[in-house]
Amino acid sequence: MTPTSDGARFEPQGAEKIWGIPCVCDNCGAPSVALATGIYTESAFHLDTATRIVWVPEAVLGKEFPDVPSPINDAASEAYSCYSIRSYRAAILLARSVVEAVAKDQGITDGSLMSKINTLQERQLISPLVTETAHEIRHMGNEMAHGEFVQEVTEEECDDVLNFMSVLLDAVYQQPAKLTRFREQRQRRKAEGRD
């Protein structure tokens, strides 16, 4: 990470003085901010061995699903972006919306989300196991959508929901697309007399 300026000092209410330093990743060019404590002068920050640095954002944003239609891919990627900044409820709500969007994209527009998920299985678009994972996303998403914020959502729970969402997208879009590409490649080899 390369600093793009000297940054600025600020004092969050009830916290120690923090220096915010804008940086750019030397590898991908993405911006991040280093929030640090250390030795200060009035106009500069000096790193030392006691410096604690927290990077914002902490993780890579988003996740790509190359064989998923653009609007669904964008929402799924945004769910991962929410997760990366610890917005777990927002990530779960988006994951639930992705499940609904998948059903609609497959022509299943009537009924509750529960019945849409079941119809995906009835049409053999997803296995019983993937059906259960989609229902878990629905349960967690319903709690968020109906304002049931009594219990805290943990990072682990959110990670599980996003993994379930990825499994659903893989089953409905990614695996069929990979199979199609593989089959076409095999047929080309056969037509060229290489099989």
Side-chain angles (χ1 to χ4, degrees), residues 112-138:
S112 65
L113 181 54
M114 181 173 76
S115 69
K116 289 174 183 167
I117 292 168
N118 291 337
T119 303
L120 284 169
Q121 182 185 346
E122 289 165 13
R123 293 186 184 174
Q124 298 183 343
L125 294 166
I126 57 176
S127 70
L129 179 60
V130 175
T131 301
E132 289 304 311
T133 64
H135 280 305
E136 288 305 316
I137 297 169
R138 176 180 62 83

Side-chain angles (χ1 to χ4, degrees), residues 169-181:
L169 295 175
D170 191 59
V172 176
Y173 299 104
Q174 306 279 102
Q175 288 300 321
K178 288 176 188 174
L179 178 59
T180 298
R181 286 192 294 270

Side-chain angles (χ1 to χ4, degrees), residues 103-114:
K104 289 179 178 179
D105 184 59
Q106 297 302 310
I108 304 166
T109 57
D110 295 330
S112 65
L113 181 54
M114 181 173 76

Side-chain angles (χ1 to χ4, degrees), residues 79-93:
Y80 274 93
S81 297
C82 290
Y83 172 80
S84 77
I85 59 168
R86 296 188 176 114
S87 293
Y88 301 139
R89 289 184 180 94
I92 290 169
L93 278 167

